Amino acid sequence: MTAPLVYVLSGPNLNRLGTREPEIYGSDTLDDIHRAVVTEARALGLVADCRQTNHEGELVDWLHEAVDVGADVVLNPGALTHYSYAVRDACAIVTTSGRSLVEVHLSNPATREEFRHTSVVAGVATGTIAGFGLQSYLLALRALV
Ligand code: DQA
């Protein structure tokens, strides 16, 4: 039997982790996160496909692809979290197809600026994990199993 596939998707500006506002996001780079995710996924009996894009439409396409290949999703939508109804609708396509989708954030948006307090994704996600840096991604994998 092949191991279940998980798409681990990150949105805009997350390719700048490591140097982007390290006091908020920490010093881990996205490569560090992806390496840790692949290792943790393997330990949990999953296969992780890790990707990042700065483009809303590409993220939507990857969410559709997750449905088509039967993958669960760990998603950090970045700022798209707060206003992208296109990403929200694509997440709803994932979860209504019977797949799980865990929304993750490195920081805890609820403790930050007012505009970050709204997630348009949360209402269609299976669950949300926020505020634990790199560990948010690893906890999301654990949640999936
Ligand atoms: C973020 C939080 C968002 O508000 C922000 O726009 C990001 C990163 C996080 O991981 O903490 O880009 O999703």
Side-chain angles (χ1 to χ4, degrees):
M1 207 185 100
T2 52
L5 181 61
V6 183
Y7 275 19
V8 179
L9 307 178
S10 296
N13 301 306
L14 293 165
N15 55 321
R16 292 291 179 163
L17 289 175
T19 53
R20 176 191 177 199
E21 300 179 89
E23 64 287 358
I24 294 171
Y25 297 115
S27 56
D28 291 315
T29 65
L30 192 60
D31 278 348
D32 294 333
I33 292 173
H34 287 174
R35 267 192 295 275
V37 162
V38 166
T39 303
E40 181 73 1
R42 199 173 296 138
L44 293 168
L46 305 170
V47 171
D49 183 335
C50 302
R51 308 179 189 181
Q52 184 274 336
T53 181
N54 291 321
H55 305 282
E56 183 181 30
E58 188 162 39
L59 197 51
V60 168
D61 286 343
W62 289 345
L63 289 163
H64 295 176
E65 189 184 304
V67 172
D68 293 341
V69 302
D72 289 325
V73 177
V74 172
L75 173 65
N76 183 347
L80 294 169
T81 305
H82 312 301
Y83 66 88
S84 174
Y85 297 121
V87 170
R88 177 199 161 96
D89 285 351
C91 290
I93 290 171
V94 173
T95 50
T96 61
S97 80
R99 310 308 316 180
S100 296
L101 182 145
V102 184
E103 175 188 353
V104 300
H105 300 283
L106 297 152
S107 67
N108 181 355
T111 64
R112 301 180 59 197
E113 303 97 316
E114 190 80 31
F115 76 90
R116 297 185 203 276
H117 297 182
T118 298
S119 167
V120 299
V121 169
V124 294
T126 310
T128 302
I129 298 172
F132 300 101
L134 178 154
Q135 292 293 329
S136 291
Y137 283 77
L138 306 187
L139 289 165
L141 292 175
R142 299 190 77 84
L144 286 177
V145 297

